Amino acid sequence: MSGLRTIDVTGMDDPGVLDTPSVQEFLQEIHKRATREQLDALLAALGRKAQRFGEILAPDALTTMDEPTARALLRSIFVTRRRGGAVLGADPVSVFADRVAELLYGSGPLEARFDAFCAAVALDEAHAPDLAAELLHFSAPDVHPLWSRWIWDPRTRTGALPLVMGDDVDLEADGPGAVYARVAQASRFLDGTAEVASFRTSAGGSLATDVFLVGVYSVYMNTVLGLKMSQEFNAIVPALPELGRRLLGVHRMEV
Protein backbone atom coordinates (compact mmCIF):
# COMPACT_ATOMS: atom_id res chain seq x y z
CA MET A 1 0.00 0.00 0.00
CA SER A 2 1.59 3.25 -1.09
CA GLY A 3 -0.08 5.49 1.47
CA LEU A 4 -1.33 9.01 1.19
CA ARG A 5 0.90 11.17 -0.98
CA THR A 6 2.51 14.12 0.68
CA ILE A 7 0.17 17.03 0.00
CA ASP A 8 1.35 20.62 -0.14
CA VAL A 9 -1.29 22.11 2.15
CA THR A 10 0.19 25.57 1.84
CA GLY A 11 0.58 25.89 -1.91
CA MET A 12 -2.47 23.83 -2.87
CA ASP A 13 -0.90 23.36 -6.26
CA ASP A 14 -1.07 19.58 -6.70
CA PRO A 15 -3.68 18.96 -9.41
CA GLY A 16 -3.71 15.22 -8.83
CA VAL A 17 -5.07 15.44 -5.30
CA LEU A 18 -8.49 16.85 -6.14
CA ASP A 19 -10.91 15.29 -8.63
CA THR A 20 -11.89 18.68 -10.00
CA PRO A 21 -14.57 17.58 -12.52
CA SER A 22 -16.36 15.57 -9.83
CA VAL A 23 -16.10 18.46 -7.38
CA GLN A 24 -17.65 20.84 -9.89
CA GLU A 25 -20.53 18.45 -10.51
CA PHE A 26 -21.15 18.05 -6.80
CA LEU A 27 -21.08 21.82 -6.30
CA GLN A 28 -23.76 22.28 -8.94
CA GLU A 29 -25.95 19.63 -7.34
CA ILE A 30 -25.43 20.97 -3.83
CA HIS A 31 -26.61 24.43 -4.88
CA LYS A 32 -29.65 22.89 -6.56
CA ARG A 33 -30.61 21.15 -3.33
CA ALA A 34 -29.89 23.90 -0.79
CA THR A 35 -30.08 27.68 -0.88
CA ARG A 36 -27.21 29.91 0.07
CA GLU A 37 -29.15 30.92 3.18
CA GLN A 38 -29.59 27.27 4.22
CA LEU A 39 -25.90 26.53 3.78
CA ASP A 40 -24.94 29.66 5.71
CA ALA A 41 -27.35 28.68 8.50
CA LEU A 42 -25.74 25.24 8.72
CA LEU A 43 -22.30 26.80 8.87
CA ALA A 44 -23.42 29.21 11.59
CA ALA A 45 -24.87 26.32 13.62
CA LEU A 46 -21.54 24.51 13.38
CA GLY A 47 -19.84 27.65 14.65
CA ARG A 48 -22.12 27.69 17.69
CA LYS A 49 -21.51 23.99 18.30
CA ALA A 50 -17.74 24.47 18.13
CA GLN A 51 -17.88 27.41 20.53
CA ARG A 52 -19.88 25.42 23.06
CA PHE A 53 -17.75 22.30 22.68
CA GLY A 54 -14.67 24.43 23.18
CA GLU A 55 -16.08 25.67 26.48
CA ILE A 56 -17.27 22.27 27.75
CA LEU A 57 -14.08 20.49 26.70
CA ALA A 58 -11.61 23.05 28.00
CA PRO A 59 -9.08 21.47 30.41
CA ASP A 60 -10.48 23.15 33.52
CA ALA A 61 -14.09 22.41 32.54
CA LEU A 62 -13.34 18.70 32.06
CA THR A 63 -12.16 18.41 35.66
CA THR A 64 -15.61 19.49 36.89
CA MET A 65 -17.82 17.94 34.19
CA ASP A 66 -21.13 16.66 35.58
CA GLU A 67 -23.41 13.98 34.16
CA PRO A 68 -26.07 16.30 32.64
CA THR A 69 -23.34 18.16 30.74
CA ALA A 70 -21.77 14.91 29.52
CA ARG A 71 -25.12 13.57 28.36
CA ALA A 72 -25.98 16.82 26.55
CA LEU A 73 -22.58 16.72 24.88
CA LEU A 74 -23.11 13.14 23.68
CA ARG A 75 -26.61 13.95 22.41
CA SER A 76 -25.04 16.64 20.23
CA ILE A 77 -22.94 14.04 18.40
CA PHE A 78 -24.74 12.01 15.73
CA VAL A 79 -23.19 8.66 16.57
CA THR A 80 -23.91 8.94 20.33
CA ARG A 81 -27.21 10.80 20.24
CA ARG A 82 -29.00 7.72 21.59
CA ARG A 83 -25.97 6.01 23.14
CA GLY A 84 -25.08 8.41 25.95
CA GLY A 85 -25.98 5.95 28.69
CA ALA A 86 -23.89 3.21 27.09
CA VAL A 87 -20.88 5.50 26.69
CA LEU A 88 -20.99 6.70 30.29
CA GLY A 89 -21.86 3.28 31.66
CA ALA A 90 -21.90 2.70 35.41
CA ASP A 91 -18.62 4.56 36.01
CA PRO A 92 -18.51 8.06 37.46
CA VAL A 93 -18.63 10.74 34.76
CA SER A 94 -15.08 11.67 35.77
CA VAL A 95 -13.87 8.47 34.08
CA PHE A 96 -15.31 9.62 30.76
CA ALA A 97 -13.95 13.14 31.31
CA ASP A 98 -10.47 11.78 32.03
CA ARG A 99 -10.53 9.75 28.81
CA VAL A 100 -11.58 12.82 26.84
CA ALA A 101 -8.89 14.94 28.50
CA GLU A 102 -6.21 12.39 27.57
CA LEU A 103 -7.49 12.29 23.97
CA LEU A 104 -7.53 16.07 23.60
CA TYR A 105 -4.56 17.15 25.73
CA GLY A 106 -2.42 14.09 26.42
CA SER A 107 1.32 14.20 25.90
CA GLY A 108 1.64 11.20 23.58
CA PRO A 109 1.28 11.16 19.79
CA LEU A 110 -2.25 11.91 18.62
CA GLU A 111 -2.54 8.62 16.73
CA ALA A 112 -1.78 6.66 19.90
CA ARG A 113 -4.18 8.75 21.98
CA PHE A 114 -6.88 8.25 19.36
CA ASP A 115 -6.39 4.47 19.43
CA ALA A 116 -6.39 4.39 23.24
CA PHE A 117 -9.63 6.35 23.45
CA CYS A 118 -11.34 4.10 20.90
CA ALA A 119 -10.22 1.00 22.82
CA ALA A 120 -11.42 2.36 26.17
CA VAL A 121 -14.77 3.91 25.30
CA ALA A 122 -17.89 1.71 25.45
CA LEU A 123 -18.62 1.76 21.71
CA ASP A 124 -17.86 -0.76 18.99
CA GLU A 125 -14.97 -0.26 16.59
CA ALA A 126 -17.27 1.21 13.93
CA HIS A 127 -18.62 3.98 16.16
CA ALA A 128 -15.78 4.81 18.57
CA PRO A 129 -13.66 6.68 15.97
CA ASP A 130 -16.64 8.91 15.10
CA LEU A 131 -16.90 10.01 18.73
CA ALA A 132 -13.15 10.57 19.09
CA ALA A 133 -12.96 12.64 15.92
CA GLU A 134 -16.00 14.77 16.82
CA LEU A 135 -14.53 15.60 20.23
CA LEU A 136 -11.23 16.58 18.64
CA HIS A 137 -12.77 18.52 15.77
CA PHE A 138 -15.40 20.56 17.56
CA SER A 139 -13.12 21.40 20.48
CA ALA A 140 -10.57 22.84 18.03
CA PRO A 141 -11.97 22.89 14.45
CA ASP A 142 -8.98 24.53 12.79
CA VAL A 143 -6.54 22.11 14.44
CA HIS A 144 -8.33 18.78 14.09
CA PRO A 145 -10.42 17.96 10.98
CA LEU A 146 -13.61 15.94 11.20
CA TRP A 147 -13.82 12.24 10.45
CA SER A 148 -17.02 10.20 10.45
CA ARG A 149 -18.14 7.08 8.61
CA TRP A 150 -20.06 9.18 6.10
CA ILE A 151 -16.79 10.99 5.34
CA TRP A 152 -14.74 7.79 5.00
CA ASP A 153 -15.72 4.28 6.01
CA PRO A 154 -12.63 2.04 5.87
CA ARG A 155 -14.75 -1.13 5.95
CA THR A 156 -16.79 -0.32 2.84
CA ARG A 157 -14.31 2.14 1.29
CA THR A 158 -17.10 4.64 0.78
CA GLY A 159 -17.86 8.17 1.91
CA ALA A 160 -17.79 11.77 0.81
CA LEU A 161 -14.02 12.22 0.85
CA PRO A 162 -13.02 9.63 -1.77
CA LEU A 163 -15.72 11.00 -4.07
CA VAL A 164 -13.83 14.29 -4.44
CA MET A 165 -10.18 13.22 -4.07
CA GLY A 166 -7.94 11.92 -6.83
CA ASP A 167 -7.27 8.22 -7.29
CA ASP A 168 -3.73 8.54 -5.90
CA VAL A 169 -4.97 9.58 -2.46
CA ASP A 170 -4.98 6.48 -0.26
CA LEU A 171 -7.00 6.77 2.95
CA GLU A 172 -6.41 3.23 4.19
CA ALA A 173 -4.18 2.48 7.16
CA ASP A 174 -3.86 0.11 10.12
CA GLY A 175 -5.75 1.29 13.18
CA PRO A 176 -8.21 4.15 13.69
CA GLY A 177 -5.53 6.64 14.72
CA ALA A 178 -3.56 6.10 11.53
CA VAL A 179 -6.71 6.33 9.41
CA TYR A 180 -7.64 9.57 11.16
CA ALA A 181 -4.21 11.00 10.33
CA ARG A 182 -4.76 10.31 6.61
CA VAL A 183 -8.29 11.67 6.60
CA ALA A 184 -7.04 14.77 8.42
CA GLN A 185 -4.31 15.37 5.85
CA ALA A 186 -6.76 15.11 2.95
CA SER A 187 -9.27 17.35 4.74
CA ARG A 188 -6.62 20.00 5.38
CA PHE A 189 -5.92 20.05 1.68
CA LEU A 190 -9.61 20.59 0.99
CA ASP A 191 -9.67 23.45 3.51
CA GLY A 192 -7.53 25.55 1.21
CA THR A 193 -9.23 24.88 -2.11
CA ALA A 194 -11.28 27.45 -3.96
CA GLU A 195 -14.19 25.03 -4.06
CA VAL A 196 -14.46 24.81 -0.28
CA ALA A 197 -13.81 28.55 0.02
CA SER A 198 -17.18 29.10 -1.65
CA PHE A 199 -18.78 27.76 1.55
CA ARG A 200 -16.69 29.92 3.87
CA THR A 201 -18.18 32.94 5.62
CA SER A 202 -17.22 34.84 8.76
CA ALA A 203 -18.06 31.61 10.63
CA GLY A 204 -15.82 29.68 8.24
CA GLY A 205 -12.49 28.04 8.95
CA SER A 206 -12.45 24.30 8.47
CA LEU A 207 -16.16 24.14 9.36
CA ALA A 208 -16.78 25.10 5.74
CA THR A 209 -15.17 21.79 4.77
CA ASP A 210 -17.76 20.02 6.92
CA VAL A 211 -20.57 21.75 5.02
CA PHE A 212 -19.00 20.90 1.67
CA LEU A 213 -18.49 17.23 2.55
CA VAL A 214 -21.96 16.76 4.01
CA GLY A 215 -23.34 18.30 0.82
CA VAL A 216 -21.34 15.83 -1.26
CA TYR A 217 -22.59 12.93 0.83
CA SER A 218 -26.20 14.11 0.62
CA VAL A 219 -26.03 14.36 -3.17
CA TYR A 220 -24.37 10.95 -3.41
CA MET A 221 -26.80 9.24 -1.05
CA ASN A 222 -29.88 10.64 -2.72
CA THR A 223 -28.53 9.79 -6.18
CA VAL A 224 -27.73 6.20 -5.20
CA LEU A 225 -31.05 5.74 -3.43
CA GLY A 226 -32.84 7.28 -6.39
CA LEU A 227 -31.39 4.58 -8.62
CA LYS A 228 -31.89 1.64 -6.28
CA MET A 229 -34.93 2.38 -4.14
CA SER A 230 -38.58 3.09 -4.63
CA GLN A 231 -39.94 6.62 -4.91
CA GLU A 232 -41.84 6.12 -1.68
CA PHE A 233 -38.65 5.24 0.21
CA ASN A 234 -36.74 8.13 -1.32
CA ALA A 235 -39.43 10.52 -0.15
CA ILE A 236 -38.54 9.89 3.51
CA VAL A 237 -34.83 10.65 3.06
CA PRO A 238 -34.16 14.10 4.51
CA ALA A 239 -33.28 16.89 2.12
CA LEU A 240 -29.73 18.23 2.18
CA PRO A 241 -30.20 20.96 4.84
CA GLU A 242 -31.88 18.61 7.33
CA LEU A 243 -29.60 15.66 6.58
CA GLY A 244 -26.59 17.92 7.06
CA ARG A 245 -27.89 19.13 10.43
CA ARG A 246 -28.46 15.56 11.59
CA LEU A 247 -25.11 14.15 10.47
CA LEU A 248 -23.21 17.12 11.89
CA GLY A 249 -25.05 16.98 15.22
CA VAL A 250 -26.75 20.38 15.13
CA HIS A 251 -30.31 19.12 14.70
CA ARG A 252 -31.96 20.04 18.03
CA MET A 253 -28.53 20.78 19.43
CA GLU A 254 -28.53 20.58 23.20
CA VAL A 255 -25.15 21.90 24.30
Side-chain angles (χ1 to χ4, degrees):
M1 186 178 299
S2 61
L4 182 62
R5 285 195 290 138
T6 299
I7 297 174
D8 180 4
V9 295
T10 54
M12 303 300 167
D13 57 358
D14 189 337
V17 175
L18 199 67
D19 184 350
T20 303
S22 293
V23 169
Q24 292 171 345
E25 291 180 12
F26 277 114
L27 283 171
Q28 292 175 0
E29 288 299 319
I30 289 170
H31 288 294
K32 287 179 184 178
R33 298 163 190 257
T35 66
R36 180 72 260 177
E37 290 75 19
Q38 289 172 324
L39 295 171
D40 287 346
L42 178 55
L43 187 55
L46 290 177
R48 292 191 296 272
K49 177 175 176 176
Q51 180 180 1
R52 191 70 183 110
F53 268 49
E55 295 166 355
I56 293 173
L57 298 175
D60 290 345
L62 281 170
T63 63
T64 58
M65 176 180 278
D66 57 21
E67 186 169 333
T69 301
R71 286 183 177 274
L73 180 80
L74 292 168
R75 284 194 297 269
S76 295
I77 297 173
F78 179 74
V79 74
T80 55
R81 184 166 182 81
R82 294 179 175 84
R83 294 183 174 93
V87 172
L88 296 177
D91 295 324
V93 71
S94 60
V95 173
F96 172 71
D98 287 345
R99 288 171 179 162
V100 175
E102 178 60 25
L103 170 68
L104 300 185
Y105 309 112
S107 59
L110 178 57
E111 289 185 26
R113 286 157 30 212
F114 198 101
D115 286 342
F117 179 88
C118 291
V121 73
L123 288 172
D124 60 41
E125 62 181 12
H127 296 96
D130 289 35
L131 174 58
E134 280 241 6
L135 293 170
L136 285 163
H137 178 60
F138 284 106
S139 64
D142 291 327
V143 178
H144 303 297
L146 182 63
W147 172 33
S148 189
R149 283 172 301 153
W150 58 266
I151 291 176
W152 165 246
D153 188 336
R155 297 169 305 159
T156 61
R157 299 182 180 182
T158 59
L161 199 52
L163 291 171
V164 296
M165 304 302 287
D167 292 339
D168 290 341
V169 177
D170 186 355
L171 299 172
E172 296 185 65
D174 295 327
V179 173
Y180 178 67
R182 296 200 177 177
V183 170
Q185 188 182 9
S187 294
R188 289 190 186 103
F189 175 83
L190 277 178
D191 284 346
T193 63
E195 289 78 10
V196 169
S198 68
F199 291 87
R200 189 165 290 122
T201 68
S202 58
S206 68
L207 299 177
T209 306
D210 303 345
V211 175
F212 171 68
L213 287 173
V214 86
V216 169
Y217 185 74
S218 177
V219 170
Y220 167 74
M221 190 177 75
N222 279 276
T223 300
V224 169
L225 290 177
L227 293 173
K228 294 184 177 181
M229 304 295 182
S230 68
Q231 256 187 334
E232 291 78 9
F233 184 83
N234 291 337
I236 69 173
V237 178
L240 194 163
E242 182 181 350
L243 181 64
R245 294 177 69 86
R246 289 179 182 275
L247 291 178
L248 292 167
V250 294
H251 179 68
R252 299 177 184 172
M253 187 166 51
E254 297 191 29
V255 295

Coordinates of all heavy atoms in Angstrom, one line a residue, residues 153-221:
D153 N -15.5 5.5 5.3 CA -15.7 4.3 6.0 C -14.7 3.3 5.5 O -14.8 2.8 4.4 CB -17.1 3.8 5.7 CG -17.5 2.6 6.6 OD1 -16.6 1.9 7.1 OD2 -18.7 2.4 6.8
P154 N -13.7 2.9 6.3 CA -12.6 2.0 5.9 C -13.1 0.6 5.6 O -12.5 -0.1 4.8 CB -11.7 2.0 7.1 CG -12.0 3.2 7.9 CD -13.4 3.5 7.7
R155 N -14.2 0.2 6.2 CA -14.8 -1.1 5.9 C -15.4 -1.3 4.6 O -15.2 -2.3 3.9 CB -15.8 -1.5 7.0 CG -15.2 -1.5 8.4 CD -16.3 -1.6 9.5 NE -17.3 -0.5 9.3 CZ -18.5 -0.5 9.7 NH1 -19.0 -1.6 10.3 NH2 -19.3 0.5 9.5
T156 N -16.1 -0.3 4.1 CA -16.8 -0.3 2.8 C -16.1 0.5 1.8 O -16.4 0.5 0.6 CB -18.2 0.2 3.0 OG1 -18.2 1.6 3.4 CG2 -19.0 -0.6 4.0
R157 N -15.1 1.3 2.2 CA -14.3 2.1 1.3 C -15.2 3.1 0.6 O -15.1 3.4 -0.6 CB -13.5 1.3 0.3 CG -12.5 0.4 0.9 CD -11.7 -0.4 -0.2 NE -10.7 -1.3 0.4 CZ -9.9 -2.0 -0.3 NH1 -9.9 -2.0 -1.6 NH2 -9.0 -2.8 0.3
T158 N -16.2 3.7 1.3 CA -17.1 4.6 0.8 C -17.1 5.9 1.7 O -16.6 5.9 2.8 CB -18.5 4.1 0.7 OG1 -18.9 3.7 2.1 CG2 -18.6 2.8 -0.2
G159 N -17.7 6.9 1.2 CA -17.9 8.2 1.9 C -17.7 9.4 1.0 O -17.3 9.3 -0.2
A160 N -17.9 10.5 1.6 CA -17.8 11.8 0.8 C -16.4 12.1 0.3 O -16.2 12.6 -0.8 CB -18.3 12.9 1.6
L161 N -15.4 11.8 1.2 CA -14.0 12.2 0.8 C -13.5 11.5 -0.4 O -12.9 12.2 -1.3 CB -13.1 12.0 2.1 CG -11.8 12.7 2.1 CD1 -12.0 14.2 1.9 CD2 -11.1 12.4 3.4
P162 N -13.6 10.2 -0.5 CA -13.0 9.6 -1.8 C -13.8 10.0 -3.0 O -13.2 9.9 -4.1 CB -13.2 8.1 -1.5 CG -14.2 8.0 -0.5 CD -14.0 9.2 0.4
L163 N -15.0 10.6 -2.9 CA -15.7 11.0 -4.1 C -15.1 12.3 -4.7 O -15.4 12.5 -5.9 CB -17.2 11.3 -3.7 CG -18.0 10.0 -3.3 CD1 -19.4 10.5 -2.8 CD2 -18.2 9.1 -4.5
V164 N -14.4 13.0 -3.9 CA -13.8 14.3 -4.4 C -12.3 14.3 -4.5 O -11.7 15.3 -5.0 CB -14.3 15.5 -3.6 CG1 -15.8 15.6 -3.7 CG2 -13.9 15.4 -2.1
M165 N -11.6 13.3 -4.0 CA -10.2 13.2 -4.1 C -9.7 12.4 -5.3 O -10.4 11.5 -5.7 CB -9.6 12.6 -2.8 CG -10.1 13.4 -1.5 SD -9.7 15.1 -1.5 CE -7.9 15.1 -1.2
G166 N -8.5 12.7 -5.7 CA -7.9 11.9 -6.8 C -7.7 10.5 -6.5 O -7.6 10.1 -5.3
D167 N -7.5 9.7 -7.5 CA -7.3 8.2 -7.3 C -6.0 7.9 -6.5 O -5.9 6.8 -5.9 CB -7.2 7.5 -8.6 CG -8.6 7.5 -9.3 OD1 -9.6 7.7 -8.6 OD2 -8.6 7.3 -10.6
D168 N -5.0 8.8 -6.6 CA -3.7 8.5 -5.9 C -3.8 8.7 -4.4 O -2.9 8.4 -3.7 CB -2.6 9.5 -6.5 CG -2.3 9.1 -7.9 OD1 -2.6 8.0 -8.3 OD2 -1.7 9.9 -8.6
V169 N -4.9 9.3 -3.9 CA -5.0 9.6 -2.5 C -5.5 8.3 -1.8 O -6.6 7.9 -2.0 CB -5.9 10.8 -2.2 CG1 -6.1 11.0 -0.7 CG2 -5.3 12.0 -2.8
D170 N -4.7 7.7 -0.9 CA -5.0 6.5 -0.3 C -5.3 6.8 1.2 O -4.5 7.3 2.0 CB -3.8 5.6 -0.3 CG -4.0 4.2 0.2 OD1 -5.1 3.9 0.7 OD2 -3.1 3.3 0.1
L171 N -6.5 6.5 1.6 CA -7.0 6.8 2.9 C -6.9 5.6 3.9 O -7.3 5.7 5.1 CB -8.5 7.3 2.9 CG -8.7 8.5 2.1 CD1 -10.2 8.8 2.0 CD2 -8.0 9.7 2.8
E172 N -6.5 4.4 3.4 CA -6.4 3.2 4.2 C -5.1 3.2 5.0 O -4.1 3.6 4.6 CB -6.5 2.0 3.3 CG -7.8 1.9 2.5 CD -7.9 0.6 1.8 OE1 -8.0 -0.5 2.4 OE2 -8.0 0.7 0.5
A173 N -5.3 2.6 6.2 CA -4.2 2.5 7.2 C -4.6 1.5 8.2 O -5.7 1.1 8.3 CB -3.8 3.8 7.8
D174 N -3.6 1.1 9.0 CA -3.9 0.1 10.1 C -4.2 0.9 11.4 O -3.3 1.6 11.9 CB -2.6 -0.8 10.3 CG -2.4 -1.7 9.1 OD1 -3.3 -2.1 8.4 OD2 -1.2 -1.9 8.8
G175 N -5.4 0.7 11.9 CA -5.8 1.3 13.2 C -6.5 2.6 13.0 O -6.2 3.4 12.0
P176 N -7.4 2.9 13.9 CA -8.2 4.1 13.7 C -7.4 5.4 13.8 O -7.7 6.4 13.1 CB -9.2 4.1 14.8 CG -8.7 3.1 15.8 CD -7.9 2.1 15.0
G177 N -6.4 5.4 14.6 CA -5.5 6.6 14.7 C -4.8 6.9 13.4 O -4.7 8.1 13.0
A178 N -4.3 5.9 12.8 CA -3.6 6.1 11.5 C -4.5 6.5 10.4 O -4.2 7.3 9.6 CB -2.8 4.8 11.2
V179 N -5.7 5.9 10.4 CA -6.7 6.3 9.4 C -7.1 7.8 9.6 O -7.2 8.6 8.7 CB -8.0 5.4 9.5 CG1 -9.1 6.0 8.6 CG2 -7.6 4.0 9.1
Y180 N -7.3 8.2 10.9 CA -7.6 9.6 11.2 C -6.6 10.5 10.6 O -6.9 11.6 10.1 CB -7.9 9.8 12.6 CG -8.2 11.2 13.0 CD1 -9.4 11.8 12.5 CD2 -7.3 12.0 13.7 CE1 -9.7 13.1 12.8 CE2 -7.6 13.4 14.0 CZ -8.8 13.9 13.5 OH -9.0 15.2 13.8
A181 N -5.3 10.1 10.8 CA -4.2 11.0 10.3 C -4.3 11.2 8.8 O -4.0 12.3 8.3 CB -2.9 10.4 10.7
R182 N -4.7 10.2 8.1 CA -4.8 10.3 6.6 C -6.0 11.1 6.2 O -5.9 12.0 5.3 CB -4.8 8.9 6.0 CG -3.5 8.2 6.2 CD -3.3 7.1 5.2 NE -2.0 6.4 5.4 CZ -1.6 5.4 4.8 NH1 -2.4 4.9 3.8 NH2 -0.4 4.8 5.0
V183 N -7.1 10.9 6.9 CA -8.3 11.7 6.6 C -8.0 13.1 6.9 O -8.4 14.0 6.2 CB -9.5 11.1 7.4 CG1 -10.7 12.1 7.4 CG2 -9.9 9.8 6.9
A184 N -7.3 13.4 8.0 CA -7.0 14.8 8.4 C -6.2 15.5 7.4 O -6.4 16.6 7.1 CB -6.4 14.8 9.8
Q185 N -5.2 14.8 6.8 CA -4.3 15.4 5.8 C -5.1 15.7 4.6 O -4.9 16.8 4.0 CB -3.2 14.4 5.5 CG -2.1 15.1 4.6 CD -1.0 14.1 4.2 OE1 -1.1 12.9 4.5 NE2 0.0 14.6 3.6
A186 N -6.0 14.8 4.1 CA -6.8 15.1 3.0 C -7.7 16.3 3.2 O -7.9 17.1 2.4 CB -7.5 13.9 2.5
S187 N -8.3 16.3 4.4 CA -9.3 17.4 4.7 C -8.6 18.7 4.8 O -9.1 19.7 4.4 CB -10.0 17.0 6.1 OG -10.8 15.9 5.9
R188 N -7.4 18.7 5.3 CA -6.6 20.0 5.4 C -6.3 20.5 4.0 O -6.3 21.7 3.8 CB -5.3 19.8 6.2 CG -5.5 19.6 7.7 CD -4.2 19.7 8.4 NE -4.5 19.3 9.8 CZ -4.2 18.2 10.4 NH1 -3.6 17.2 9.7 NH2 -4.4 18.0 11.7
F189 N -6.1 19.6 3.1 CA -5.9 20.0 1.7 C -7.2 20.7 1.2 O -7.2 21.8 0.6 CB -5.5 18.9 0.8 CG -5.5 19.2 -0.7 CD1 -4.3 19.8 -1.2 CD2 -6.6 19.0 -1.5 CE1 -4.3 20.2 -2.5 CE2 -6.5 19.4 -2.8 CZ -5.4 20.0 -3.4
L190 N -8.3 20.0 1.4 CA -9.6 20.6 1.0 C -9.9 22.0 1.6 O -10.5 22.8 0.9 CB -10.8 19.6 1.4 CG -11.1 18.5 0.5 CD1 -12.2 17.6 1.1 CD2 -11.4 18.9 -0.9
D191 N -9.4 22.2 2.8 CA -9.7 23.4 3.5 C -9.2 24.6 2.7 O -9.8 25.7 2.7 CB -8.9 23.5 4.9 CG -9.6 22.7 5.9 OD1 -10.8 22.3 5.8 OD2 -8.9 22.4 7.0
G192 N -8.1 24.4 1.9 CA -7.5 25.5 1.2 C -7.9 25.7 -0.2 O -7.4 26.5 -1.0
T193 N -8.8 24.8 -0.7 CA -9.2 24.9 -2.1 C -10.3 26.0 -2.4 O -11.0 26.4 -1.5 CB -9.8 23.5 -2.6 OG1 -11.0 23.3 -1.8 CG2 -8.8 22.4 -2.4
A194 N -10.3 26.4 -3.6 CA -11.3 27.5 -4.0 C -12.7 26.9 -3.9 O -13.6 27.7 -3.6 CB -11.0 27.9 -5.4
E195 N -12.9 25.6 -4.1 CA -14.2 25.0 -4.1 C -14.8 25.1 -2.7 O -15.9 25.5 -2.5 CB -14.1 23.6 -4.5 CG -13.9 23.4 -6.0 CD -12.4 23.6 -6.4 OE1 -11.6 23.7 -5.5 OE2 -12.1 23.7 -7.6
V196 N -14.0 24.7 -1.7 CA -14.5 24.8 -0.3 C -14.6 26.3 0.2 O -15.5 26.6 1.0 CB -13.5 24.0 0.7 CG1 -13.8 24.3 2.1 CG2 -13.6 22.5 0.4
A197 N -13.7 27.1 -0.3 CA -13.8 28.6 0.0 C -15.2 29.1 -0.3 O -15.6 30.1 0.3 CB -12.7 29.3 -0.7
S198 N -15.9 28.6 -1.3 CA -17.2 29.1 -1.6 C -18.2 28.9 -0.5 O -19.3 29.5 -0.5 CB -17.7 28.4 -2.9 OG -18.0 27.1 -2.8
F199 N -17.9 28.0 0.4 CA -18.8 27.8 1.6 C -18.4 28.6 2.8 O -19.0 28.5 3.8 CB -18.8 26.3 1.9 CG -19.4 25.4 0.9 CD1 -18.7 24.9 -0.2 CD2 -20.8 25.1 1.0 CE1 -19.3 24.1 -1.1 CE2 -21.4 24.3 0.1 CZ -20.7 23.8 -1.0
R200 N -17.3 29.3 2.7 CA -16.7 29.9 3.9 C -17.3 31.3 4.0 O -17.3 32.1 3.1 CB -15.2 30.0 3.7 CG -14.5 30.4 5.0 CD -13.0 30.1 4.9 NE -12.8 28.6 5.0 CZ -12.1 27.9 4.1 NH1 -11.7 28.5 3.0 NH2 -12.0 26.6 4.3
T201 N -17.7 31.6 5.3 CA -18.2 32.9 5.6 C -17.4 33.4 6.8 O -16.4 32.8 7.2 CB -19.7 32.9 5.9 OG1 -19.9 32.2 7.2 CG2 -20.5 32.3 4.8
S202 N -17.9 34.4 7.6 CA -17.2 34.8 8.8 C -17.2 33.7 9.8 O -16.3 33.8 10.7 CB -17.9 36.1 9.3 OG -19.3 35.8 9.6
A203 N -18.1 32.7 9.7 CA -18.1 31.6 10.6 C -17.1 30.5 10.2 O -17.0 29.5 10.8 CB -19.5 31.0 10.8
G204 N -16.5 30.7 9.0 CA -15.8 29.7 8.2 C -14.8 28.8 8.9 O -15.1 28.0 9.7
G205 N -13.5 29.0 8.5 CA -12.5 28.0 9.0 C -12.8 26.7 8.3 O -13.4 26.5 7.3
S206 N -12.3 25.6 9.0 CA -12.5 24.3 8.5 C -13.9 23.8 8.6 O -14.2 22.8 8.0 CB -11.5 23.3 9.2 OG -11.9 23.2 10.5
L207 N -14.7 24.5 9.3 CA -16.2 24.1 9.4 C -16.8 24.2 8.0 O -17.8 23.5 7.7 CB -16.9 25.0 10.3 CG -16.4 25.0 11.8 CD1 -17.2 26.0 12.6 CD2 -16.6 23.6 12.4
A208 N -16.3 25.0 7.1 CA -16.8 25.1 5.7 C -16.5 23.8 5.0 O -17.3 23.4 4.2 CB -16.1 26.2 5.0
T209 N -15.4 23.1 5.4 CA -15.2 21.8 4.8 C -16.2 20.8 5.2 O -16.6 19.9 4.4 CB -13.8 21.3 5.2 OG1 -12.8 22.3 4.8 CG2 -13.4 20.0 4.5
D210 N -16.7 20.9 6.5 CA -17.8 20.0 6.9 C -19.0 20.2 6.1 O -19.7 19.2 5.7 CB -18.1 20.3 8.4 CG -16.9 20.2 9.3 OD1 -15.9 19.6 8.9 OD2 -17.0 20.7 10.5
V211 N -19.4 21.5 5.8 CA -20.6 21.7 5.0 C -20.4 21.2 3.6 O -21.3 20.6 3.0 CB -20.9 23.3 5.0 CG1 -22.0 23.6 4.1 CG2 -21.1 23.7 6.4
F212 N -19.2 21.4 3.0 CA -19.0 20.9 1.7 C -19.1 19.4 1.6 O -19.8 18.8 0.8 CB -17.6 21.3 1.2 CG -17.2 20.7 -0.1 CD1 -17.8 21.0 -1.3 CD2 -16.1 19.7 -0.1 CE1 -17.4 20.4 -2.5 CE2 -15.7 19.1 -1.2 CZ -16.3 19.4 -2.4
L213 N -18.5 18.7 2.6 CA -18.5 17.2 2.6 C -19.9 16.7 2.8 O -20.3 15.7 2.2 CB -17.5 16.7 3.6 CG -16.0 16.8 3.1 CD1 -15.1 16.4 4.3 CD2 -15.7 16.0 1.9
V214 N -20.6 17.3 3.7 CA -22.0 16.8 4.0 C -22.9 17.0 2.8 O -23.8 16.2 2.5 CB -22.5 17.4 5.3 CG1 -23.2 18.7 5.1 CG2 -23.5 16.4 6.0
G215 N -22.6 18.1 2.1 CA -23.3 18.3 0.8 C -23.0 17.2 -0.2 O -23.9 16.7 -0.9
V216 N -21.8 16.9 -0.3 CA -21.3 15.8 -1.3 C -22.0 14.5 -0.9 O -22.6 13.8 -1.7 CB -19.8 15.7 -1.2 CG1 -19.4 14.4 -2.0 CG2 -19.1 16.9 -1.9
Y217 N -22.0 14.2 0.4 CA -22.6 12.9 0.8 C -24.1 12.9 0.6 O -24.7 11.9 0.2 CB -22.3 12.7 2.3 CG -22.8 11.3 2.8 CD1 -22.1 10.2 2.4 CD2 -23.9 11.2 3.6 CE1 -22.5 8.9 2.9 CE2 -24.4 10.0 4.0 CZ -23.7 8.8 3.6 OH -24.1 7.6 4.1
S218 N -24.8 14.0 0.8 CA -26.2 14.1 0.6 C -26.5 13.9 -0.9 O -27.5 13.1 -1.2 CB -26.7 15.5 1.1 OG -28.1 15.6 0.8
V219 N -25.8 14.5 -1.7 CA -26.0 14.4 -3.2 C -25.8 12.9 -3.6 O -26.6 12.3 -4.3 CB -25.1 15.3 -4.0 CG1 -25.2 14.9 -5.5 CG2 -25.5 16.7 -3.8
Y220 N -24.7 12.3 -3.1 CA -24.4 10.9 -3.4 C -25.4 10.0 -2.9 O -25.9 9.1 -3.6 CB -23.0 10.6 -2.8 CG -22.7 9.1 -2.8 CD1 -22.3 8.5 -4.0 CD2 -22.8 8.4 -1.6 CE1 -22.1 7.1 -4.0 CE2 -22.5 7.0 -1.6 CZ -22.1 6.4 -2.8 OH -21.8 5.1 -2.8
M221 N -25.8 10.2 -1.6 CA -26.8 9.2 -1.1 C -28.1 9.3 -1.8 O -28.7 8.3 -2.1 CB -27.0 9.5 0.4 CG -27.8 8.5 1.1 SD -28.0 8.8 2.9 CE -29.2 10.1 2.9

